[in-house]
Amino acid sequence: MKVTREKIVEILINALQEAQQDIVDEPEEITESTRPIGDLKSFDSLASVVVTVHCLAALKWNAPPSFPSLFLGKPGEALTVGEVADRILRLKKRQSREG
């Protein structure tokens, strides 16, 4: 399945907004530059794992990645929505070469 960066960003934002509905009373604005862990109220590493699973399912991911959350980079590094989209594109490219 060919997926554009724009579609990935859309999937990420939709998944984050859906998760926020369960966490906060008033939805927060989410953009490509939003850093979910740190910028969004009550969005922590556990919530990031749940949203990761949702996003990978929406992208029809073949195999789970070797890490629990798309939103965490190097130890202690929280990624922006745009950085997560770029990460997914790199992983998809690697997955298609290996698959």
Side-chain angles (χ1 to χ4, degrees):
M1 171 170 103
K2 176 71 174 165
V3 180
T4 65
R5 185 179 189 281
E6 291 76 23
K7 183 64 178 171
I8 292 171
V9 168
E10 179 185 325
I11 288 169
L12 290 167
I13 289 174
N14 288 340
L16 289 165
Q17 288 171 334
E18 188 176 308
Q20 284 299 96
Q21 289 176 0
D22 296 334
I23 297 173
V24 296
D25 293 331
E26 196 164 317
E28 300 170 83
E29 181 181 6
I30 302 171
T31 67
E32 195 172 318
S33 61
T34 300
R35 194 174 304 277
I37 298 174
D39 287 352
L40 301 178
K41 291 179 188 159
S42 301
F43 191 88
D44 57 14
S45 57
L46 180 57
S48 77
V49 172
V50 172
V51 174
T52 292
V53 170
H54 179 79
C55 290
L56 294 179
L59 291 165
K60 296 178 176 40
W61 204 263
N62 295 340
S66 60
F67 46 84
S69 173
L70 291 167
F71 299 90
L72 294 170
K74 298 174 186 171
E77 178 189 24
L79 302 176
T80 66
V81 171
E83 290 169 333
V84 173
D86 294 338
R87 182 182 207 186
I88 290 171
L89 285 172
R90 285 191 306 273
L91 290 170
K92 287 287 260 179
K93 195 177 288 186
R94 184 181 318 145
Q95 188 180 52
S96 66
R97 282 194 311 255
E98 294 171 356

